[in-house]
């Protein structure tokens, strides 16, 4: 199941980014999925749910936007910073290609 490998790569990058920002929790993960990619959104969402369970990203919204090309790229994460859970800054960053 290649989707699980991709979901794990997204999770690893998202968690690294969140930690560097001092985040307590990831509330959303935004990815770009290439129009020419063979993976379905449904399969990627399922894999995300399984892989993110028990992590700081558990329950995070997995937002997929279709983009030209192929592959899956991490575009941004939304986080809760400790200790103020009412703040939800977006951690925008460059795209990280994961294929």
């Amino acid at each position: 199941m290649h989707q699980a490998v991709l979901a794990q790569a997204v999770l690893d990058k998202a968690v690294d980014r969140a930690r560097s920002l001092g985040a307590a929790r990831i509330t959303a993960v935004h990815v770009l999925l290439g129009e020419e990619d063979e993976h379905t959104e449904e399969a990627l969402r399922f894999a995300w749910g399984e892989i993110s369970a028990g992590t700081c990203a558990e329950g995070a919204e997995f937002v997929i936007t279709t983009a030209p090309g192929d592959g899956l790229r991490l575009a941004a994460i939304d986080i809760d910073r400790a200790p103020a859970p009412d703040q939800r800054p977006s951690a925008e960053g460059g795209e990280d290609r994961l294929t």
Side-chain angles (χ1 to χ4, degrees):
M1 178 190 245
H2 189 58
Q3 292 86 356
V5 172
L6 291 175
Q8 184 66 59
V10 168
L11 178 65
D12 292 345
K13 292 214 177 262
V15 168
D16 286 347
R17 197 176 286 177
R19 283 186 183 147
S20 72
L21 295 167
R25 188 167 106 64
I26 299 171
T27 59
V29 174
H30 303 265
V31 297
L32 301 175
L33 177 63
E35 294 170 335
E36 298 171 24
D37 198 88
E38 64 207 38
H39 301 97
T40 66
E41 290 186 26
E42 181 180 335
L44 289 168
R45 286 183 204 286
F46 176 80
W48 173 257
E50 295 293 311
I51 294 297
S52 64
T55 71
C56 66
E58 182 172 10
E61 183 180 4
F62 193 67
V63 181
I64 301 172
T65 303
T66 305
D70 63 357
L72 184 68
R73 299 174 295 280
L74 176 63
I77 61 172
D78 297 336
I79 59 173
D80 276 344
R81 290 189 192 266
D86 57 316
Q87 296 179 0
R88 285 189 163 32
S90 180
E92 298 289 334
E95 297 171 8
D96 295 317
R97 188 172 176 87
L98 303 170
T99 58

